[in-house]
Amino acid sequence: MPWTISSSLDDFRAWAGAFLAAHPAENTVLLTITDRLAARGPHYYGDGVPVFGWWSAEPDGPVAGAFLRTPPFTPRLGLMPESAAAELAAELATGPAGSAALTGVAGGAPATLAFGAAWAGATGATSTVRTNERLYRLGELADPPRPPSGRARLAGADDRELLIRWFAEFAEEVDIRIPNLATLADDRTAAGQLHLWEDGGRPVAVAGASAVIAGMSRIGPVYTPGDARGRGYASGVTAAASAAALARGAEEVLLYTDLANPTSNSIYQQIGYRPVEDCVELAFGS
């Protein structure tokens, strides 16, 4: 069964919504992106038209794979077999104008690597690993082994400029693009999704907890400015954001870490997070 490719968010949610919700951990990014597109419109992430796709193993069979792309960002693969990922790469390589301009892809490691190999074979592009990440799921939330001084609180309107600055610093540090920084800070503050750790009356770290979608909430970003690191603030604020997600009814609380950062991988496991899957971001070159 070939992929169905569409620019309709409504069609994507109608056809693939149940599949996404049945596997909320592996499809966490797709769930949060579609939720934001539904709330903010199709051009929230950029001027390009979003592209959505779903795959079934046989005609009229259940959906067993999904992806989306919000230009200028690269495609994000949800849960899918490696064979479906390879089929998707071949279809996009010969598909509508602009598909061949892909600069990369991201998602669960097996499917993403299969996509990258098929893309390289179809286009002659090189495919290199840009980042390796690990997706974690919260088991039983534990207090940090060395609780930091201070306390957690919700971010408020008075924190707006600080949050925008910290989001920008976070994006630069991890080399990602965050669109609509001010809107993002405003929306997430209004929704009660941003938690600050305060020590001595001064904010020293931030952690977000996304809206609960299909029983899932994802923690992020987690950021501590350089002059406040090494004091356990990230552990404290992540634990507070995780507790808030649970209190809002999340059955699964998730977060991503960069595998190149042993500190973050260690501290999240200390408060109860357990590995789900490894993920990878690939960059394509000529």
Side-chain angles (χ1 to χ4, degrees):
M1 177 71 177
W3 279 85
T4 301
I5 310 295
S6 174
S7 60
S8 169
L9 175 61
D10 289 341
D11 286 351
F12 181 62
R13 297 178 93 180
W15 284 95
F19 167 75
L20 298 180
H23 307 278
E26 296 85 348
N27 293 318
T28 175
V29 175
L30 276 65
L31 285 165
T32 51
I33 289 176
T34 53
D35 183 70
R36 196 157 293 158
L37 291 174
R40 279 292 183 173
H43 301 297
Y44 176 82
Y45 291 97
D47 294 334
V49 176
V51 177
F52 310 95
W54 56 95
W55 177 88
S56 300
E58 56 188 32
D60 301 321
V63 171
F67 91 100
L68 57 73
R69 184 190 182 198
T70 51
F73 294 96
T74 58
R76 182 76 192 197
L77 308 185
L79 181 66
M80 67 180 67
E82 294 175 45
S83 59
E87 291 174 23
L88 177 61
E91 181 154 342
L92 293 181
T94 58
S99 293
L102 293 184
T103 58
V105 66
T112 303
L113 293 172
F115 183 106
W119 181 264
T123 65
T126 61
S127 176
T128 57
V129 174
R130 185 171 181 269
T131 57
N132 283 297
E133 294 184 315
R134 180 161 290 160
L135 176 64
Y136 286 88
R137 177 192 288 116
L138 182 63
E140 183 175 351
L141 181 61
D143 292 331
R146 294 175 295 280
S149 58
R151 65 180 185 90
R153 67 168 175 85
L154 280 175
D158 291 344
D159 302 303
R160 184 175 191 266
E161 297 306 317
L162 173 71
L163 292 170
I164 293 171
R165 184 173 77 250
W166 279 4
F167 280 4
E169 291 173 1
F170 171 80
E172 181 177 2
E173 184 170 301
V174 300
D175 193 19
I176 62 170
R177 178 178 178 269
I178 301 179
N180 306 308
L181 280 175
T183 300
L184 182 66
D186 292 341
D187 286 353
R188 299 198 69 181
T189 299
Q193 296 178 4
L194 296 178
H195 302 260
L196 293 172
W197 193 267
E198 211 170 53
D199 191 7
R202 180 175 70 99
V204 290
V206 62
S210 74
V212 179
I213 309 166
M216 172 278 306
S217 176
R218 190 170 71 254
I219 303 300
V222 178
Y223 179 69
T224 306
D227 62 352
R229 292 178 185 173
R231 303 175 193 178
Y233 297 140
S235 296
V237 76
T238 300
S242 303
L246 292 172
R248 290 189 171 191
E251 298 170 1
E252 295 193 82
V253 183
L254 309 167
L255 59 77
Y256 283 100
T257 65
D258 185 343
L259 285 175
N261 186 338
T263 299
S264 63
N265 283 273
S266 173
I267 65 173
Y268 298 139
Q269 292 182 77
Q270 290 173 358
I271 62 172
Y273 281 89
R274 301 293 177 259
V276 176
E277 66 170 355
D278 285 355
C279 300
V280 66
E281 180 185 2
L282 300 179
F284 300 146
S286 57

